[in-house]
Amino acid sequence: MGNSFTYFHNLPEMVVALARPERAVSVAVIATGGAALDTTWASGEPSAHLAQGADFVVLQEQSTLGGDLVVDGIPRPQDPARFHTAVRRAVPDILGAGASPVLYLTWARRDDPGAQEALDNAYRSIGDELGATVAPVGPAWAMALRERPDLVLHDADASHPAPAGSYLAACVLTATLFGIDPRGRPHRITGTTVDSEGVLGEVGPLTDLSDADAEFLQDIAWRATA
């Protein structure tokens, strides 16, 4: 449940592919470009899906924590109060439906790497408060870029994920949700493509990384979730 950081490159379908054969995963995606978590939750669509049953519900907040704070031309994370309120509303419903809440901790924009600390604090503090698991995607990105600054994880807009960025996110989520070691997993994944507006397209490649890059990202994901 999130926005374009969730649906770019069909991240959920990557997780389905990475979890095989240990887990046969089916997934429902509720994601609208730019959406804040409280708006998505208030739509009623999440509750309808919960009524059908789920093991996990992954919650992803808008990249600046639901606001439009801009400093020096760069969108920055705002006070996390709105995000925290949304999570506090969602988690009891998720637990009441017998599912486990998981917070998808996102990454900083390419031109504002220092914002990762604010994102980390926002997600981890509410996760600790409510006992919700945190999937450390953003910290994994930061680790990868420290060790391989040549690696392209951001899209050309410096915000959204490039295919390698979505693949790293998928590896982190697979490890977090299922405890599955992503090392040695497929890195040439085919599935239903998704455009930048979230519209499903034809079947095609979701990611096609080199062996070396895939092995590096798999290892980063496993270390980040250890």
Side-chain angles (χ1 to χ4, degrees), residues 3 34-39 60-69 76-84 86 106 109 119 122-123:
N3 52 48
L37 185 58
D38 57 1
T39 302
Q60 178 244 315
E61 181 55 282
Q62 190 266 351
S63 61
T64 57
L65 302 177
D68 55 4
L69 177 66
R76 303 288 176 90
Q78 66 167 15
D79 186 292
R82 180 183 177 188
F83 167 48
H84 287 177
T106 55
R109 292 168 188 259
L119 294 169
Y123 278 83

Side-chain angles (χ1 to χ4, degrees), residues 60-108:
Q60 178 244 315
E61 181 55 282
Q62 190 266 351
S63 61
T64 57
L65 302 177
D68 55 4
L69 177 66
V70 177
V71 179
D72 297 331
I74 300 173
R76 303 288 176 90
Q78 66 167 15
D79 186 292
R82 180 183 177 188
F83 167 48
H84 287 177
T85 298
V87 177
R88 292 187 188 106
R89 288 174 177 163
V91 164
D93 289 347
I94 294 168
L95 294 173
S100 298
V102 177
L103 306 181
Y104 168 8
L105 165 51
T106 55
W107 52 87

Side-chain angles (χ1 to χ4, degrees), residues 42-197:
S43 72
E45 189 176 358
S47 297
H49 279 284
L50 275 177
Q52 299 172 23
D55 294 314
F56 302 99
V57 178
V58 179
L59 304 174
Q60 178 244 315
E61 181 55 282
Q62 190 266 351
S63 61
T64 57
L65 302 177
D68 55 4
L69 177 66
V70 177
V71 179
D72 297 331
I74 300 173
R76 303 288 176 90
Q78 66 167 15
D79 186 292
R82 180 183 177 188
F83 167 48
H84 287 177
T85 298
V87 177
R88 292 187 188 106
R89 288 174 177 163
V91 164
D93 289 347
I94 294 168
L95 294 173
S100 298
V102 177
L103 306 181
Y104 168 8
L105 165 51
T106 55
W107 52 87
R109 292 168 188 259
R110 186 184 63 205
D111 299 329
D112 188 24
Q116 191 63 54
E117 183 178 4
L119 294 169
D120 292 352
N121 290 338
Y123 278 83
R124 286 176 169 152
S125 60
I126 194 65
D128 289 344
E129 176 187 323
L130 299 176
T133 299
V134 175
V137 175
W141 273 49
M143 185 188 303
L145 291 172
R146 281 195 301 271
E147 297 184 18
R148 285 273 311 274
D150 62 302
L151 202 61
V152 178
L153 298 183
H154 293 87
D155 196 26
D157 65 4
S159 172
H160 288 93
S166 289
Y167 182 77
L168 177 54
C171 288
V172 171
L173 285 165
T174 301
T176 301
L177 293 170
F178 311 119
I180 292 175
D181 185 345
R183 293 174 297 182
R185 295 279 157 170
H187 57 275
R188 294 182 175 92
I189 298 174
T190 298
T192 304
T193 58
V194 182
D195 70 14
S196 61
E197 301 301 318

